[in-house]
Amino acid sequence: MSFSHLASLLPPDAHCVVAFSGGLDSTVLLHQLVSWQRQQPQLRVRALHVHHGLSPNADRWAVHCQQVCQAWHLACDVLYVQLDAKMQGIEAAAREARYQALREQLQPGERLLTAQHLDDQCETLLLALKRGSGPAGLAAMPAQRELHGFWHLRPLLQTSRAQLEAYAAAHQLRWIEDESNGDSRFDRNFLRLHILPLLQARWPHFSRASARSAALCAEQEQLLDELLAEQLAELCDAHGALAFHPLLTVSEARRHALLRRWIAQQGGAMPSREALKRITTEVMQSREDANPCLRFGTFTLRRYRQRLYWLPPQPSLREYVLTWHISEAPLRLPDGLGQLYASHEAGELRLPTPDEVVTIRFAAHGYYHLQGRAGGREMKKLWQELGVPPWQRERTPLIYYNQTLIAAPGVFVTREGAAPQGSAGWQAIWLPQHQEHV
């Protein structure tokens, strides 16, 4: 048996995690990995089964997957997910919940393997045509990609469903059939049940020809990625914000190509051509004093000081009041904002008196004097002068002693919070979540 499709993607000592639904495709993939492991004893394989709870048979499917893995001496964990289909259809919600659950279970160095095959690739291309997608969408599914810090591999993309069925029959494999696969209300099932059989009856090599077209589109996208990478890097700051003024001087095609790649880097879905035009007219070209805002699913596109920001959902933190015992452990901030540390070796902040309680809040109003600045300012003016975007102002931790504003770590210190010259002080260090493990 040839395992060239596995060897081309996996080193001999790879740590593999298979998304195991129990269906034909993932059963074949898992069996092939188990068989290849006999030739590559350093290979590590385990399985994850995602329990969506959509079918009355979901519990039985989970048991089946665990029994198969037990017979093959593999670990198999069942992941339970809840779906939110308010912003998207049930298919998209299930896919998003599935991949999020899988990502959260991956350990450093592990690779996620999924069992999409040649016919799935053809369906994906046809769905992209239905949506009016450009080359990026028509590139369909890559055999491998790095996403959120892990490798996602699809070893079966060159294998047809008929070949998978033949393999399963030859090795007497058992698999489950999801009854929802027969429901033509879902677009992918409609193509699979009614359209692809007609196309392949007329043109037997239609799926492979479609896969070649997808591969050519992917090559064109990769070439554009390489040609535009340097310019995009120059336009982005350390936080991923995009300087957009230079984009207004280039062709629409180049501007849209750069915007698509920037949005992809931020984790956003590919926008339509009409959406890209709205970014230009309603955000980039809006009045200087405007505060434009566009919604893209759960994300928001904002502008501030000639830069574009791609923002995830940000709940208000105005009501939070956190007591901080600065001599004890670091303080965990809400909503993934990281931690605050207190350094007592030296610092710019005066120590609190015994009757002062140190708290962290996320809102301040009034007139303040900052250390090192002449005169006072309204808080709104201070934020503007400090270059803090409006949406970050109520997500920046503020240190209070009782009701007195003392400092915003790394941003400013008030006169009331400054340590007198020559006296002991301390420093508050804000470590955002994405930097905690750097």
Side-chain angles (χ1 to χ4, degrees):
M1 180 189 303
S2 172
F3 295 111
S4 59
H5 60 298
L6 298 177
S8 65
L9 295 175
L10 295 168
D13 59 349
H15 288 212
C16 304
V17 178
V18 177
F20 185 38
S21 69
L24 168 67
D25 314 339
S26 61
T27 300
V28 169
L29 176 59
L30 192 60
H31 184 268
Q32 289 185 347
L33 284 165
V34 170
S35 300
W36 194 42
Q37 192 178 37
R38 300 190 187 106
Q39 302 177 19
Q40 306 290 345
Q42 290 181 294
L43 191 74
R44 295 291 178 266
V45 182
R46 68 186 182 98
L48 295 175
H49 175 79
V50 179
H51 188 301
H52 296 96
L54 294 175
S55 169
N57 298 310
D59 290 338
R60 183 171 60 84
W61 295 344
V63 171
H64 166 85
C65 289
Q66 290 179 313
Q67 290 175 342
V68 169
C69 289
Q70 185 177 13
W72 292 348
H73 307 289
L74 297 175
C76 179
D77 293 320
V78 178
L79 313 179
Y80 294 85
V81 300
Q82 292 184 334
L83 304 185
D84 181 3
K86 295 178 182 177
M87 299 293 294
Q88 51 194 339
I90 192 68
E91 287 180 290
R95 182 172 58 253
E96 183 173 318
R98 178 166 61 252
Y99 278 113
Q100 180 177 345
L102 293 169
R103 286 196 302 268
E104 290 174 351
Q105 292 298 315
L106 290 178
Q107 301 299 318
E110 287 186 325
R111 293 167 167 83
L112 174 67
L113 278 66
T114 56
Q116 291 92 350
H117 52 75
L118 184 65
D119 299 86
D120 292 328
Q121 184 77 311
C122 182
E123 294 163 9
T124 301
L125 178 65
L126 292 175
L127 289 171
L129 283 171
K130 186 264 296 184
R131 293 192 298 268
S133 299
L138 296 176
M141 297 178 289
Q144 57 182 329
R145 63 172 180 167
E146 189 174 12
L147 188 64
H148 302 294
F150 70 90
W151 281 100
H152 177 195
L153 310 179
R154 298 183 175 98
L156 302 181
L157 274 186
Q158 296 300 317
T159 307
S160 69
R161 180 176 176 85
Q163 289 174 305
L164 297 180
E165 290 173 342
Y167 180 98
H171 293 86
Q172 299 181 326
L173 302 181
R174 296 182 302 108
W175 67 89
I176 58 178
E177 292 287 352
D178 186 340
E179 70 276 0
S180 70
N181 288 337
D183 190 344
S184 294
R185 291 177 300 174
F186 298 120
D187 289 345
R188 190 175 286 274
N189 289 348
F190 174 74
L191 289 173
R192 182 179 304 145
L193 297 172
H194 303 293
I195 304 303
L196 277 179
L198 291 175
L199 293 172
Q200 291 172 339
R202 177 72 181 237
W203 302 294
H205 302 294
F206 184 83
S207 291
R208 293 203 179 277
S210 299
R212 285 197 298 273
S213 293
L216 289 171
C217 288
E219 285 184 7
Q220 294 300 310
E221 282 298 292
Q222 181 179 348
L223 177 60
L224 281 176
D225 287 343
E226 294 173 2
L227 293 174
L228 296 175
E230 184 176 350
Q231 184 180 6
L232 185 59
E234 292 174 350
L235 293 173
C236 292
D237 66 15
H239 304 288
L242 180 73
F244 67 82
H245 193 267
L247 298 184
L248 297 174
T249 64
V250 302
S251 68
E252 181 180 81
R254 190 179 187 91
R255 178 166 64 250
H256 287 180
L258 286 163
L259 282 173
R260 287 192 185 99
R261 281 154 182 78
W262 174 68
I263 291 172
Q265 286 180 0
Q266 306 306 306
M270 192 60 59
S272 67
R273 190 165 182 267
E274 186 61 32
L276 293 172
K277 288 186 173 183
R278 290 186 64 195
I279 292 174
T280 299
T281 58
E282 298 179 26
V283 181
M284 295 184 189
Q285 295 176 335
S286 61
R287 298 189 326 272
E288 189 69 26
D289 60 346
N291 187 22
C293 174
L294 286 181
R295 291 291 301 275
F296 292 89
T298 59
F299 292 90
T300 304
L301 180 76
R302 303 284 296 268
R303 185 191 79 183
Y304 184 71
R305 294 191 176 181
Q306 304 301 311
R307 291 189 178 274
L308 299 181
Y309 294 80
W310 187 265
L311 305 172
Q314 296 182 334
S316 174
L317 304 178
R318 290 175 57 86
E319 304 304 318
Y320 275 87
V321 179
L322 309 174
T323 301
W324 187 14
H325 302 287
I326 61 175
S327 61
E328 299 177 4
L331 179 69
R332 173 70 63 177
L333 298 174
D335 200 38
L337 289 179
Q339 297 187 73
L340 287 178
Y341 295 83
S343 172
H344 296 277
E345 296 180 1
E348 55 195 359
L349 302 180
R350 68 174 177 84
L351 293 170
T353 62
D355 62 344
E356 288 179 323
V357 176
V358 181
T359 59
I360 301 299
R361 308 179 191 187
F362 296 89
H365 302 281
Y367 197 81
Y368 298 96
H369 290 80
L370 300 191
Q371 181 71 1
R373 284 175 172 251
R377 300 284 194 283
E378 288 286 341
M379 195 67 222
K380 182 178 180 180
K381 289 289 186 183
L382 288 174
W383 286 128
Q384 292 172 349
E385 292 177 8
L386 293 166
V388 179
W391 57 88
Q392 290 183 5
R393 296 170 190 174
E394 292 187 359
R395 298 180 65 79
T396 299
L398 302 174
I399 301 173
Y400 281 78
Y401 291 175
N402 292 342
Q403 302 303 314
T404 302
L405 177 62
I406 298 300
V411 183
F412 65 77
V413 176
T414 65
R415 289 184 185 175
E416 294 82 358
Q421 190 171 5
S423 65
W426 69 287
Q427 184 175 1
I429 301 172
W430 178 19
L431 195 61
Q433 190 174 59
H434 68 276
Q435 297 179 8
E436 288 182 7
H437 304 294
V438 175

